Amino acid sequence: MAMTWFFLDIFLSWFPVVFLIGALALSAVFYFFKKISASKIFKLIIAVVSFRIVYAAALTFVQYYVWSQNELTKILARSPLGDGVFPSVFDFVFNSRLGYFLFYSYGRFWLSVFISIAAALVFYLFLRFLRKYRDRFFEEGEAELGFLTALIVGWPNFVIFVPMVFILVIIVSIFRRLFYGETYTTLGIPFLLAALTALLAGSRLIHFFRLEVLNI
């Protein structure tokens, strides 16, 4: 049993990293082989959102199972949260028999999912607005690629991803000017590089800039 939990812990820890890097790699293939399109990117967007929801649900199930196996934590798994924590409209959820567990799971597993989706959506709307007035920064499907990469990095890596995009726009522009004589660069490559940086080094950068308060 202990060995089973050991491998389950490894799976739950590393599978998200493998999946998200795989999604980023696939989006890079679409981009560099000029197979990028809004429809293909939206399929990946749906896949990433679905994965985050299913993964949060899996963690919720595992957490309930673990708590239900111990007499002390079983009380937490089967107790209401209590009055006054949430508005009364949520009483039927958090004052139910599973109230405390649902509150714990919401804060631990689900809140980051909701914030990740909301932040990526706001970023996408910003990109659509930017494209309307500065179309030269975008090729076909790149606004949707920005939406996808923002979803891939999630929260709190999003706060590293966004400034990294604009820093990389400058770096890539300088590189292309020096070696290819191109005046402008679009946002596709900066999106991909910023997402890779956020996935591989996001936690270290968050610690370096003392942004741990953003962790959920």
Side-chain angles (χ1 to χ4, degrees):
M1 187 65 178
M3 187 63 68
T4 301
W5 282 111
F6 173 75
F7 285 110
L8 181 61
D9 182 61
I10 293 177
F11 176 78
L12 292 175
S13 299
W14 285 100
F15 182 66
V17 177
V18 173
F19 177 89
L20 294 173
I21 289 179
L24 182 62
L26 188 56
S27 62
V29 168
F30 288 162
Y31 182 80
F32 287 112
F33 287 90
K34 302 303 179 185
K35 296 180 179 180
I36 191 171
S37 67
S39 61
K40 287 183 178 180
I41 294 299
F42 272 118
K43 288 179 181 178
L44 278 175
I45 287 170
I46 292 172
V48 172
V49 171
S50 300
F51 170 78
R52 290 197 174 279
I53 292 173
V54 170
Y55 183 69
L59 291 176
T60 302
F61 173 80
V62 171
Q63 186 67 60
Y64 182 81
Y65 178 80
V66 170
W67 278 11
S68 65
Q69 299 304 300
N70 182 281
E71 291 301 322
L72 179 61
T73 53
K74 186 184 295 185
I75 299 174
L76 299 177
R78 300 175 183 178
S79 299
L81 178 60
D83 297 325
V85 179
F86 276 89
S88 59
V89 68
F90 295 106
D91 281 351
F92 75 99
V93 175
F94 295 112
N95 282 337
S96 67
R97 184 167 175 265
L98 298 175
Y100 182 84
F101 170 75
L102 293 175
F103 173 74
Y104 177 89
S105 299
Y106 164 75
R108 187 75 179 271
F109 308 130
W110 291 95
L111 184 57
S112 62
V113 175
F114 299 144
I115 294 178
S116 296
I117 294 172
L121 182 58
V122 170
F123 186 60
Y124 176 58
L125 294 176
F126 167 75
L127 293 175
R128 292 291 298 270
F129 174 82
L130 182 62
R131 182 172 187 177
K132 184 177 180 180
Y133 295 99
R134 293 291 186 272
D135 188 66
R136 66 180 176 82
F137 287 120
F138 297 88
E139 292 181 354
E140 177 64 29
E142 285 191 342
E144 289 72 25
L145 179 64
F147 187 18
L148 172 62
T149 48
L151 280 172
I152 287 174
V153 301
W155 187 268
N157 285 339
F158 179 80
V159 300
I160 299 298
F161 167 76
V162 172
M164 188 66 66
V165 167
F166 295 103
I167 293 171
L168 285 167
V169 166
I170 297 172
I171 294 173
V172 173
S173 295
I174 294 172
F175 179 86
R176 296 180 78 161
R177 170 66 74 89
L178 292 176
F179 293 95
Y180 297 100
E182 297 177 354
T183 306
Y184 300 115
T185 189
T186 59
L187 291 169
I189 293 176
F191 283 150
L192 295 169
L193 292 177
L196 183 62
T197 301
L199 283 178
L200 297 181
S203 59
R204 293 187 180 89
L205 291 172
I206 287 171
H207 177 72
F208 178 80
F209 290 109
R210 300 177 183 272
L211 296 173
E212 292 90 345
V213 68
L214 298 175
N215 288 320
I216 297 176

